[in-house]
Amino acid sequence: MFAKKKQPAIRTLIGEGTLIRGELRFSDGLRIDGEVQGDVIANDDVHSILVISEKARIVGRVKAAHVIINGAVEGPIVADELLELQPKAVIVGDVVYEVLEMHQGATVHGQMRPMKAQEKPALKLAANNL
């Protein structure tokens, strides 16, 4: 009935305990469990997904189509399609998104704005089932 875009496969993992310094560019999917000190940017020519786990930390710019965050990011974030802020997400920086899903407990210390500032932003609320 409703066509849902197929997510790209997560082909790369930066494991817990790993530290990368410098710009990181990727295609398809990337999961970060370690620390990156530098920009994390998806190649523009593909639909991409970036998962920043609860134990991950990024100090730098983040840009991808679909961004899922449950860790810490210090720097600006751009999500061209969907930004998911999980309960343990801590963002220090400005956020630009097409569609936003923010769970209770996530924090953002910076400006949040939709890509199309003139239009009403698409906002999806994630509520706890109590």
Side-chain angles (χ1 to χ4, degrees):
M1 181 185 222
F2 294 103
K4 188 174 182 180
K5 288 183 181 178
K6 185 179 177 192
Q7 292 292 341
I10 294 180
R11 301 186 188 281
T12 306
L13 168 68
I14 297 173
E16 186 177 350
T18 302
L19 169 64
I20 294 180
R21 289 190 177 112
E23 183 177 270
L24 181 60
R25 290 196 171 262
F26 69 96
S27 295
D28 296 326
L30 169 65
R31 178 184 171 101
I32 299 174
D33 293 334
E35 182 174 349
V36 177
Q37 294 177 358
D39 297 342
V40 179
I41 301 170
N43 294 332
D44 291 332
D45 58 341
V46 295
H47 175 71
S48 57
I49 184 168
L50 172 61
V51 179
I52 300 168
S53 78
E54 176 182 336
K55 298 177 182 181
R57 182 171 184 259
I58 296 177
V59 178
R61 194 167 48 114
V62 171
K63 185 178 187 312
H66 184 173
V67 181
I68 302 170
I69 302 173
N70 202 24
V73 176
E74 293 179 36
I77 299 170
V78 175
D80 295 323
E81 293 177 7
L82 173 63
L83 174 61
E84 293 181 46
L85 299 178
Q86 300 291 319
K88 295 184 179 178
V90 177
I91 312 299
V92 178
D94 294 341
V95 176
V96 178
Y97 57 89
E98 180 68 27
V99 176
L100 174 66
E101 180 179 319
M102 186 170 182
H103 291 254
Q104 182 177 352
T107 60
V108 177
H109 303 279
Q111 292 184 357
M112 296 181 70
R113 63 183 195 276
M115 289 196 162
K116 298 173 186 165
Q118 306 83 284
E119 298 178 17
K120 185 176 180 182
L123 181 63
K124 181 177 177 183
L125 299 177
N128 287 340
N129 294 330
L130 299 177

